[in-house]
Amino acid sequence: HPLFGYIFLALILYLLFNLVFSAGKMVEEPLLDYFYRIIPLIGKIISTETLLFSIINGIIQGLAGGIAIVLPYLFPFLFGLAILEDLGYLPRIAFLLDAFLHKIGLHGKAIIPFILGYGCTVPAIMATRILESERDRFIASVLATMIPCAARMTIIFALVAFYISPQAALAIYILNIIVIVISGKILSRLLPEITPGMILEIPAYHIPSIKVVLAKTWLRMKEFIFVAWPLLIAGSTVLSLLQYFKADNYINQFFSPLTSSLLGLPIVVGTTLIFGILRKELSMLMLIQAIGTSNVAAVMSMTQIMTFTIFVIFYVPCIATIAVLWKEIGSKRTLFAVAFTFVLAVILATITRFVY
């Protein structure tokens, strides 16, 4: 519907957003408490000053991050996305948003990789192959790196929604869309080209099969469980070792002109940004480990939490995304995408520091 279609779209996404947050918050707090009671118990058996304790602490922090922080938000989000897909609603979202994409100079088909981007950026960039124009593929690939994937969604929910408010987290998504629109207009002006129209088949609505929905959710969660989670545990262990040998101080000092001076964040944030390039969730989990408490609000102000989140969402894509960009659009354009998103992240985070 030309009017109610958009109203229901906003309502459905708002309900999905709040259901994901409510389900995640319900599970996150008790699970985190459980894991953080284990560490002091181990400290009574093994001296906290030993290398062995640092390694065990890092492993537990990594396990806790995956079970208590990422999965409580990731599962309901992917489950909800699978329901919308099986209902037949995703093509309707593509149809409703087609007109907006033409306003930023893109073919309507670009909505497909953008929707995929909310799950993972890697398949989103690979999906730009459906666009006939090389210019469209390039612009869509760069814009897809800015869409908050499931990993970045976890950061938004577990930091901003949890410590500030769900409305503040929703505002980040709205800001993200505005930034993508403006960036798309800039790139389209730099690379002008007329984009054709789109013919899209709209399937009939049907009741989703829970078995199929759960299977799709599991397939999408496998990538986190078997690839990202081991990285979280390894990254957490490496950070523990860096802290044990005091090497993290040098890294934090190196990044301090950006993190502390420009963005006004705690100096310990420096190491977290490096891990974030491996996987975006690592930035948040390493932050909790670096500040030494799961209660981020005890160490960082609301402004600092928002600034950190804005920066992590927009800055350099994860290593897997960079690899796919390199393959799909070439080395020079990949370096442009990395530089473009980094500069954008610095500008937006700096503005957030002084405005929020």
Side-chain angles (χ1 to χ4, degrees), residues 93-118:
I93 295 177
F95 181 84
L96 288 167
L97 299 180
D98 174 51
F100 293 101
L101 283 173
H102 278 284
K103 290 184 184 299
I104 62 173
L106 276 179
H107 191 293
K109 285 183 183 177
I111 194 64
I112 296 169
F114 288 169
I115 290 173
L116 287 174
Y118 284 100

PDB file of all heavy atoms in Angstrom, residues 93-118:
ATOM      1  N   ILE A  93       9.476  -5.581   1.481  1.00  0.00           N
ATOM      2  CA  ILE A  93      10.386  -4.533   1.965  1.00  0.00           C
ATOM      3  C   ILE A  93      11.205  -3.990   0.800  1.00  0.00           C
ATOM      4  O   ILE A  93      11.394  -2.777   0.654  1.00  0.00           O
ATOM      5  CB  ILE A  93      11.324  -5.085   3.072  1.00  0.00           C
ATOM      6  CG1 ILE A  93      10.516  -5.482   4.313  1.00  0.00           C
ATOM      7  CG2 ILE A  93      12.385  -4.051   3.451  1.00  0.00           C
ATOM      8  CD1 ILE A  93      11.347  -6.109   5.421  1.00  0.00           C
ATOM      9  N   ALA A  94      11.689  -4.910  -0.048  1.00  0.00           N
ATOM     10  CA  ALA A  94      12.467  -4.500  -1.229  1.00  0.00           C
ATOM     11  C   ALA A  94      11.637  -3.597  -2.129  1.00  0.00           C
ATOM     12  O   ALA A  94      12.124  -2.568  -2.624  1.00  0.00           O
ATOM     13  CB  ALA A  94      12.924  -5.742  -2.000  1.00  0.00           C
ATOM     14  N   PHE A  95      10.369  -3.938  -2.338  1.00  0.00           N
ATOM     15  CA  PHE A  95       9.495  -3.143  -3.193  1.00  0.00           C
ATOM     16  C   PHE A  95       9.263  -1.755  -2.594  1.00  0.00           C
ATOM     17  O   PHE A  95       9.332  -0.738  -3.289  1.00  0.00           O
ATOM     18  CB  PHE A  95       8.150  -3.866  -3.366  1.00  0.00           C
ATOM     19  CG  PHE A  95       7.193  -3.131  -4.253  1.00  0.00           C
ATOM     20  CD1 PHE A  95       7.246  -3.253  -5.631  1.00  0.00           C
ATOM     21  CD2 PHE A  95       6.227  -2.298  -3.699  1.00  0.00           C
ATOM     22  CE1 PHE A  95       6.363  -2.558  -6.443  1.00  0.00           C
ATOM     23  CE2 PHE A  95       5.345  -1.602  -4.503  1.00  0.00           C
ATOM     24  CZ  PHE A  95       5.414  -1.733  -5.878  1.00  0.00           C
ATOM     25  N   LEU A  96       8.999  -1.702  -1.279  1.00  0.00           N
ATOM     26  CA  LEU A  96       8.724  -0.424  -0.611  1.00  0.00           C
ATOM     27  C   LEU A  96       9.934   0.505  -0.634  1.00  0.00           C
ATOM     28  O   LEU A  96       9.791   1.724  -0.730  1.00  0.00           O
ATOM     29  CB  LEU A  96       8.287  -0.674   0.836  1.00  0.00           C
ATOM     30  CG  LEU A  96       6.886  -1.265   1.031  1.00  0.00           C
ATOM     31  CD1 LEU A  96       6.711  -1.755   2.464  1.00  0.00           C
ATOM     32  CD2 LEU A  96       5.818  -0.237   0.689  1.00  0.00           C
ATOM     33  N   LEU A  97      11.119  -0.067  -0.542  1.00  0.00           N
ATOM     34  CA  LEU A  97      12.332   0.755  -0.458  1.00  0.00           C
ATOM     35  C   LEU A  97      12.981   1.014  -1.811  1.00  0.00           C
ATOM     36  O   LEU A  97      13.973   1.726  -1.893  1.00  0.00           O
ATOM     37  CB  LEU A  97      13.344   0.087   0.486  1.00  0.00           C
ATOM     38  CG  LEU A  97      12.877  -0.092   1.942  1.00  0.00           C
ATOM     39  CD1 LEU A  97      13.960  -0.747   2.774  1.00  0.00           C
ATOM     40  CD2 LEU A  97      12.508   1.257   2.552  1.00  0.00           C
ATOM     41  N   ASP A  98      12.428   0.437  -2.872  1.00  0.00           N
ATOM     42  CA  ASP A  98      12.991   0.612  -4.212  1.00  0.00           C
ATOM     43  C   ASP A  98      13.089   2.086  -4.601  1.00  0.00           C
ATOM     44  O   ASP A  98      14.093   2.551  -5.116  1.00  0.00           O
ATOM     45  CB  ASP A  98      12.139  -0.152  -5.223  1.00  0.00           C
ATOM     46  CG  ASP A  98      12.574   0.088  -6.659  1.00  0.00           C
ATOM     47  OD1 ASP A  98      13.785  -0.078  -6.918  1.00  0.00           O
ATOM     48  OD2 ASP A  98      11.741   0.445  -7.501  1.00  0.00           O
ATOM     49  N   ALA A  99      12.018   2.841  -4.333  1.00  0.00           N
ATOM     50  CA  ALA A  99      11.994   4.263  -4.708  1.00  0.00           C
ATOM     51  C   ALA A  99      13.097   5.045  -4.002  1.00  0.00           C
ATOM     52  O   ALA A  99      13.716   5.942  -4.595  1.00  0.00           O
ATOM     53  CB  ALA A  99      10.627   4.859  -4.373  1.00  0.00           C
ATOM     54  N   PHE A 100      13.387   4.687  -2.746  1.00  0.00           N
ATOM     55  CA  PHE A 100      14.424   5.393  -1.999  1.00  0.00           C
ATOM     56  C   PHE A 100      15.808   5.121  -2.584  1.00  0.00           C
ATOM     57  O   PHE A 100      16.662   6.009  -2.621  1.00  0.00           O
ATOM     58  CB  PHE A 100      14.385   4.986  -0.523  1.00  0.00           C
ATOM     59  CG  PHE A 100      13.149   5.446   0.194  1.00  0.00           C
ATOM     60  CD1 PHE A 100      12.101   4.578   0.435  1.00  0.00           C
ATOM     61  CD2 PHE A 100      13.026   6.761   0.611  1.00  0.00           C
ATOM     62  CE1 PHE A 100      10.949   5.002   1.086  1.00  0.00           C
ATOM     63  CE2 PHE A 100      11.885   7.206   1.265  1.00  0.00           C
ATOM     64  CZ  PHE A 100      10.838   6.323   1.500  1.00  0.00           C
ATOM     65  N   LEU A 101      16.018   3.905  -3.034  1.00  0.00           N
ATOM     66  CA  LEU A 101      17.317   3.573  -3.620  1.00  0.00           C
ATOM     67  C   LEU A 101      17.561   4.351  -4.906  1.00  0.00           C
ATOM     68  O   LEU A 101      18.684   4.750  -5.199  1.00  0.00           O
ATOM     69  CB  LEU A 101      17.407   2.067  -3.885  1.00  0.00           C
ATOM     70  CG  LEU A 101      17.675   1.214  -2.643  1.00  0.00           C
ATOM     71  CD1 LEU A 101      17.582  -0.255  -2.974  1.00  0.00           C
ATOM     72  CD2 LEU A 101      19.039   1.523  -2.069  1.00  0.00           C
ATOM     73  N   HIS A 102      16.515   4.565  -5.681  1.00  0.00           N
ATOM     74  CA  HIS A 102      16.678   5.351  -6.911  1.00  0.00           C
ATOM     75  C   HIS A 102      17.056   6.797  -6.601  1.00  0.00           C
ATOM     76  O   HIS A 102      17.722   7.449  -7.397  1.00  0.00           O
ATOM     77  CB  HIS A 102      15.401   5.290  -7.751  1.00  0.00           C
ATOM     78  CG  HIS A 102      15.310   4.042  -8.572  1.00  0.00           C
ATOM     79  ND1 HIS A 102      16.039   3.853  -9.720  1.00  0.00           N
ATOM     80  CD2 HIS A 102      14.594   2.901  -8.396  1.00  0.00           C
ATOM     81  CE1 HIS A 102      15.774   2.663 -10.222  1.00  0.00           C
ATOM     82  NE2 HIS A 102      14.907   2.059  -9.433  1.00  0.00           N
ATOM     83  N   LYS A 103      16.635   7.276  -5.440  1.00  0.00           N
ATOM     84  CA  LYS A 103      16.983   8.649  -5.053  1.00  0.00           C
ATOM     85  C   LYS A 103      18.472   8.804  -4.768  1.00  0.00           C
ATOM     86  O   LYS A 103      19.009   9.905  -4.833  1.00  0.00           O
ATOM     87  CB  LYS A 103      16.166   9.080  -3.836  1.00  0.00           C
ATOM     88  CG  LYS A 103      14.679   9.283  -4.146  1.00  0.00           C
ATOM     89  CD  LYS A 103      13.945   9.796  -2.935  1.00  0.00           C
ATOM     90  CE  LYS A 103      12.447   9.914  -3.206  1.00  0.00           C
ATOM     91  NZ  LYS A 103      12.131  10.844  -4.305  1.00  0.00           N
ATOM     92  N   ILE A 104      19.151   7.695  -4.426  1.00  0.00           N
ATOM     93  CA  ILE A 104      20.599   7.780  -4.223  1.00  0.00           C
ATOM     94  C   ILE A 104      21.349   7.199  -5.413  1.00  0.00           C
ATOM     95  O   ILE A 104      22.531   6.881  -5.332  1.00  0.00           O
ATOM     96  CB  ILE A 104      21.041   7.100  -2.901  1.00  0.00           C
ATOM     97  CG1 ILE A 104      20.721   5.594  -2.910  1.00  0.00           C
ATOM     98  CG2 ILE A 104      20.398   7.768  -1.708  1.00  0.00           C
ATOM     99  CD1 ILE A 104      21.289   4.858  -1.719  1.00  0.00           C
ATOM    100  N   GLY A 105      20.632   7.060  -6.533  1.00  0.00           N
ATOM    101  CA  GLY A 105      21.283   6.678  -7.786  1.00  0.00           C
ATOM    102  C   GLY A 105      21.607   5.216  -7.940  1.00  0.00           C
ATOM    103  O   GLY A 105      22.522   4.857  -8.679  1.00  0.00           O
ATOM    104  N   LEU A 106      20.868   4.334  -7.236  1.00  0.00           N
ATOM    105  CA  LEU A 106      21.136   2.905  -7.343  1.00  0.00           C
ATOM    106  C   LEU A 106      19.949   2.172  -7.950  1.00  0.00           C
ATOM    107  O   LEU A 106      18.809   2.630  -7.871  1.00  0.00           O
ATOM    108  CB  LEU A 106      21.436   2.304  -5.971  1.00  0.00           C
ATOM    109  CG  LEU A 106      22.866   2.416  -5.458  1.00  0.00           C
ATOM    110  CD1 LEU A 106      22.960   1.792  -4.073  1.00  0.00           C
ATOM    111  CD2 LEU A 106      23.857   1.759  -6.398  1.00  0.00           C
ATOM    112  N   HIS A 107      20.236   1.017  -8.545  1.00  0.00           N
ATOM    113  CA  HIS A 107      19.194   0.138  -9.061  1.00  0.00           C
ATOM    114  C   HIS A 107      18.425  -0.455  -7.883  1.00  0.00           C
ATOM    115  O   HIS A 107      18.993  -0.698  -6.829  1.00  0.00           O
ATOM    116  CB  HIS A 107      19.851  -0.988  -9.879  1.00  0.00           C
ATOM    117  CG  HIS A 107      18.891  -1.803 -10.670  1.00  0.00           C
ATOM    118  ND1 HIS A 107      17.954  -2.626 -10.093  1.00  0.00           N
ATOM    119  CD2 HIS A 107      18.709  -1.923 -12.011  1.00  0.00           C
ATOM    120  CE1 HIS A 107      17.243  -3.219 -11.033  1.00  0.00           C
ATOM    121  NE2 HIS A 107      17.689  -2.812 -12.207  1.00  0.00           N
ATOM    122  N   GLY A 108      17.118  -0.676  -8.079  1.00  0.00           N
ATOM    123  CA  GLY A 108      16.286  -1.226  -7.021  1.00  0.00           C
ATOM    124  C   GLY A 108      16.750  -2.565  -6.497  1.00  0.00           C
ATOM    125  O   GLY A 108      16.503  -2.913  -5.344  1.00  0.00           O
ATOM    126  N   LYS A 109      17.444  -3.355  -7.333  1.00  0.00           N
ATOM    127  CA  LYS A 109      17.931  -4.664  -6.888  1.00  0.00           C
ATOM    128  C   LYS A 109      18.929  -4.552  -5.735  1.00  0.00           C
ATOM    129  O   LYS A 109      19.183  -5.524  -5.031  1.00  0.00           O
ATOM    130  CB  LYS A 109      18.613  -5.396  -8.050  1.00  0.00           C
ATOM    131  CG  LYS A 109      17.661  -5.977  -9.086  1.00  0.00           C
ATOM    132  CD  LYS A 109      18.473  -6.732 -10.129  1.00  0.00           C
ATOM    133  CE  LYS A 109      17.591  -7.290 -11.237  1.00  0.00           C
ATOM    134  NZ  LYS A 109      18.408  -7.955 -12.280  1.00  0.00           N
ATOM    135  N   ALA A 110      19.511  -3.370  -5.565  1.00  0.00           N
ATOM    136  CA  ALA A 110      20.517  -3.193  -4.513  1.00  0.00           C
ATOM    137  C   ALA A 110      19.942  -3.423  -3.126  1.00  0.00           C
ATOM    138  O   ALA A 110      20.687  -3.637  -2.164  1.00  0.00           O
ATOM    139  CB  ALA A 110      21.129  -1.798  -4.597  1.00  0.00           C
ATOM    140  N   ILE A 111      18.617  -3.379  -3.004  1.00  0.00           N
ATOM    141  CA  ILE A 111      18.000  -3.604  -1.697  1.00  0.00           C
ATOM    142  C   ILE A 111      18.276  -5.016  -1.200  1.00  0.00           C
ATOM    143  O   ILE A 111      18.341  -5.263   0.007  1.00  0.00           O
ATOM    144  CB  ILE A 111      16.479  -3.332  -1.749  1.00  0.00           C
ATOM    145  CG1 ILE A 111      15.902  -3.218  -0.337  1.00  0.00           C
ATOM    146  CG2 ILE A 111      15.750  -4.416  -2.524  1.00  0.00           C
ATOM    147  CD1 ILE A 111      16.419  -2.077   0.462  1.00  0.00           C
ATOM    148  N   ILE A 112      18.479  -5.964  -2.109  1.00  0.00           N
ATOM    149  CA  ILE A 112      18.702  -7.362  -1.715  1.00  0.00           C
ATOM    150  C   ILE A 112      20.014  -7.521  -0.943  1.00  0.00           C
ATOM    151  O   ILE A 112      20.025  -8.059   0.165  1.00  0.00           O
ATOM    152  CB  ILE A 112      18.631  -8.296  -2.944  1.00  0.00           C
ATOM    153  CG1 ILE A 112      17.210  -8.253  -3.531  1.00  0.00           C
ATOM    154  CG2 ILE A 112      19.005  -9.734  -2.569  1.00  0.00           C
ATOM    155  CD1 ILE A 112      17.055  -8.902  -4.869  1.00  0.00           C
ATOM    156  N   PRO A 113      21.168  -7.041  -1.473  1.00  0.00           N
ATOM    157  CA  PRO A 113      22.384  -7.121  -0.647  1.00  0.00           C
ATOM    158  C   PRO A 113      22.298  -6.296   0.626  1.00  0.00           C
ATOM    159  O   PRO A 113      22.866  -6.675   1.653  1.00  0.00           O
ATOM    160  CB  PRO A 113      23.488  -6.596  -1.580  1.00  0.00           C
ATOM    161  CG  PRO A 113      22.802  -5.933  -2.709  1.00  0.00           C
ATOM    162  CD  PRO A 113      21.476  -6.594  -2.834  1.00  0.00           C
ATOM    163  N   PHE A 114      21.550  -5.189   0.593  1.00  0.00           N
ATOM    164  CA  PHE A 114      21.422  -4.373   1.801  1.00  0.00           C
ATOM    165  C   PHE A 114      20.675  -5.126   2.897  1.00  0.00           C
ATOM    166  O   PHE A 114      21.054  -5.074   4.064  1.00  0.00           O
ATOM    167  CB  PHE A 114      20.705  -3.053   1.490  1.00  0.00           C
ATOM    168  CG  PHE A 114      21.549  -2.074   0.700  1.00  0.00           C
ATOM    169  CD1 PHE A 114      20.985  -0.942   0.158  1.00  0.00           C
ATOM    170  CD2 PHE A 114      22.903  -2.301   0.492  1.00  0.00           C
ATOM    171  CE1 PHE A 114      21.753  -0.041  -0.574  1.00  0.00           C
ATOM    172  CE2 PHE A 114      23.678  -1.420  -0.228  1.00  0.00           C
ATOM    173  CZ  PHE A 114      23.104  -0.282  -0.763  1.00  0.00           C
ATOM    174  N   ILE A 115      19.608  -5.823   2.523  1.00  0.00           N
ATOM    175  CA  ILE A 115      18.867  -6.613   3.512  1.00  0.00           C
ATOM    176  C   ILE A 115      19.748  -7.739   4.063  1.00  0.00           C
ATOM    177  O   ILE A 115      19.782  -7.996   5.263  1.00  0.00           O
ATOM    178  CB  ILE A 115      17.568  -7.177   2.898  1.00  0.00           C
ATOM    179  CG1 ILE A 115      16.570  -6.037   2.644  1.00  0.00           C
ATOM    180  CG2 ILE A 115      16.937  -8.219   3.823  1.00  0.00           C
ATOM    181  CD1 ILE A 115      15.323  -6.459   1.883  1.00  0.00           C
ATOM    182  N   LEU A 116      20.496  -8.391   3.158  1.00  0.00           N
ATOM    183  CA  LEU A 116      21.423  -9.441   3.601  1.00  0.00           C
ATOM    184  C   LEU A 116      22.469  -8.882   4.557  1.00  0.00           C
ATOM    185  O   LEU A 116      22.956  -9.585   5.444  1.00  0.00           O
ATOM    186  CB  LEU A 116      22.116 -10.070   2.388  1.00  0.00           C
ATOM    187  CG  LEU A 116      21.279 -10.997   1.504  1.00  0.00           C
ATOM    188  CD1 LEU A 116      22.072 -11.404   0.272  1.00  0.00           C
ATOM    189  CD2 LEU A 116      20.840 -12.226   2.274  1.00  0.00           C
ATOM    190  N   GLY A 117      22.824  -7.602   4.375  1.00  0.00           N
ATOM    191  CA  GLY A 117      23.841  -6.959   5.202  1.00  0.00           C
ATOM    192  C   GLY A 117      23.486  -6.917   6.674  1.00  0.00           C
ATOM    193  O   GLY A 117      24.371  -6.878   7.530  1.00  0.00           O
ATOM    194  N   TYR A 118      22.185  -6.936   6.991  1.00  0.00           N
ATOM    195  CA  TYR A 118      21.786  -6.943   8.395  1.00  0.00           C
ATOM    196  C   TYR A 118      22.081  -8.289   9.047  1.00  0.00           C
ATOM    197  O   TYR A 118      22.076  -8.397  10.275  1.00  0.00           O
ATOM    198  CB  TYR A 118      20.305  -6.586   8.531  1.00  0.00           C
ATOM    199  CG  TYR A 118      20.050  -5.104   8.338  1.00  0.00           C
ATOM    200  CD1 TYR A 118      19.581  -4.611   7.130  1.00  0.00           C
ATOM    201  CD2 TYR A 118      20.313  -4.195   9.355  1.00  0.00           C
ATOM    202  CE1 TYR A 118      19.363  -3.249   6.937  1.00  0.00           C
ATOM    203  CE2 TYR A 118      20.110  -2.840   9.186  1.00  0.00           C
ATOM    204  CZ  TYR A 118      19.631  -2.372   7.971  1.00  0.00           C
ATOM    205  OH  TYR A 118      19.433  -1.018   7.789  1.00  0.00           O
TER     206      TYR A 118
END
